[in-house]
């Protein structure tokens, strides 16, 4: 039974290895980011919001252009008429028709509205800039999520290679133990122990490969790629930003952090809201003009003959409207706008304080993970040396298979811990870059 399970696992590993041996697509970080910018649904919706804001801040939505309307109409009357004079015979008329037609073009323009239109136009410009910052925040969050998944694929890819090396060593041990048993140099227990280790290593490799496949599907969802059986590889190269450059980013963080920049735009918008409300104290001056044409045809009566009348001409006027007292509505609007502006100032102070804390925490986390990475590199070197020495001693029969297995497991743990430390440090760096507002400006 044990040999059957071992054979099945080995065949499965061999088949998966053969599939991996085929030429596969290498998806670089730059390509993954480009795909996300082009296809990610969240980014697409954010870009659509920017387009809406761009339309809103245009001249066609400013209120500065006049309105032009055309009107036309027609009328028809059909009446019976009975005329009874004081003297003489009454006159009865049936089917009297009369017609009327009219057409006009009217133009209206607000010459002055207390500067409300001017400040509203300025506010729409700020709202457009705010929408771009909101889109940038969406892109930053998506990129951080994307790169986190990307580096998880890289970590699992390297773990698979580590586990393949471990499995290969365990298979060699089975072969060596079988030879020793066949030639009477050891008992069957050594062979069984070696096969158990092969089975365990095979299961670990299969599970890690399954995690890798699942994580690749997660990446496909983020970049809207078809989830097919086509495999791909990722770039496992990791580089870190120089310390001096990172310190410069931290010094300029409050000027570049996207959350603080959004609050600056909100402050500008609420400041314009105050000015828009104050415009209610000033009068409004409107201009209007029109060109009209009218035609009327009336039927003859007992005393007057029928007639046709055509008129056309232009007219214009100016009007001034001034709410001398509006029941206090304008005053309340100004007070509320000032309170809203004050709340925005308080919110900015609160967020700025929180961001300074988050940057300090992220920097400490990043430095700790870099230290752990250096320790794990030394640990791998130590365990690699210990494993090689143990392998020599095991081949010479000076240590037991249990001792050799322990050295093998120690090296496995050290190498996988190094992979984890490397990518944890990189993700910590990305989180710090996002807080400093530089995530979209550096080469990853």
């Amino acid at each position: 039974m044990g040999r059957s399970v071992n054979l099945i696992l080995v065949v499965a590993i061999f088949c998966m290895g053969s599939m991996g041996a085929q030429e596969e697509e290498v998806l670089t970080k730059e390509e993954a980011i480009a795909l996300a910018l082009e296809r990610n649904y969240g980014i697409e919706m954010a870009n659509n919001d920017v387009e809406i804001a761009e339309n809103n801040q245009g001249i066609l939505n400013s209120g500065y252009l006049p309105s032009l309307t055309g009107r036309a109409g027609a009328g028809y009357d059909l009446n019976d008429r009975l005329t009874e004079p004081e003297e003489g015979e009454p006159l009865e008329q049936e089917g009297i028709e009369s017609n009327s037609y009219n057409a006009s073009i009217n133009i209206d323009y607000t010459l002055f509205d207390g500067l409300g239109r001017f400040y509203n136009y300025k506010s729409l410009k700020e709202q457009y800039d705010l929408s771009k910052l909101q889109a940038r925040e969406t892109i930053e969050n998506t990129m951080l999520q994307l790169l986190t998944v990307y580096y998880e694929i890289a970590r699992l890819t390297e773990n698979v290679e580590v586990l393949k090396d471990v499995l290969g060593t365990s298979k060699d041990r089975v072969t060596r133990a079988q030879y020793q048993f066949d030639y009477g140099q050891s008992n069957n227990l050594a062979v069984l122990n070696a096969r158990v280790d092969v089975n365990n290593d095979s299961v670990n490799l299969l599970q890690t490969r399954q995690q890798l496949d699942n994580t690749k599907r997660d990446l496909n969802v983020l970049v809207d790629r078809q989830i097919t059986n086509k495999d791909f590889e990722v770039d496992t190269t990791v580089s870190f930003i120089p310390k001096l450059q990172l310190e410069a980013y931290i010094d300029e963080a409050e000027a570049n952090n996207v959350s603080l920049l959004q609050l600056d735009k909100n402050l500008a918008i609420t400041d314009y809201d105050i000015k828009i409300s104050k415009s209610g104290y000033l009068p409004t001056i409107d201009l209007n003009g029109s060109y009209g044409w009218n035609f009327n045809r009336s039927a003859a009566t007992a005393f007057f003959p029928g007639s046709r009348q055509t008129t056309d001409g232009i007219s214009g006027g100016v009007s001034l409207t001034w709410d001398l007292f509006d029941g206090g509505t304008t005053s309340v609007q100004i007070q509320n706008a000032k309170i809203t502006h004050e709340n925005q100032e308080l919110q900015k102070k609160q967020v700025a304080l929180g961001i300074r804390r988050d940057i300090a925490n992220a920097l400490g986390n990043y430095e700790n993970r870099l230290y752990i990475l250096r320790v794990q590199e030394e640990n791998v070197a130590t365990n690699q040396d210990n494993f090689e020495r143990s392998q020599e001693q095991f081949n010479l029969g000076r240590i037991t298979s249990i001792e050799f297995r322990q050295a093998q497991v120690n090296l496995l743990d050290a190498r996988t811990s190094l992979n984890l430390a490397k990518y944890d440090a990189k993700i910590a760096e990305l989180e710090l870059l996002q807080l400093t507002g530089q995530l979209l400006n550096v080469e990853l």
Side-chain angles (χ1 to χ4, degrees), residues 87-103:
E87 296 180 359
E89 297 294 327
L91 177 64
E92 183 176 358
Q93 296 175 295
E94 295 182 354
I96 301 174
E97 294 182 353
S98 61
N99 309 89
S100 64
Y101 304 95
N102 65 83

Side-chain angles (χ1 to χ4, degrees), residues 32 118 138 152 156 246 392:
F118 172 76
T138 300
E152 178 65 8
L156 292 171
L246 197 58
E392 292 175 1

Side-chain angles (χ1 to χ4, degrees), residues 12 22 30 64 72 98 110 137 142 182 255 268 339 381 392 422:
Q22 299 174 359
E30 293 76 15
Y64 276 106
S98 61
T110 300
E137 183 178 32
T142 302
D182 290 342
I339 294 172
E392 292 175 1
K422 178 173 64 173

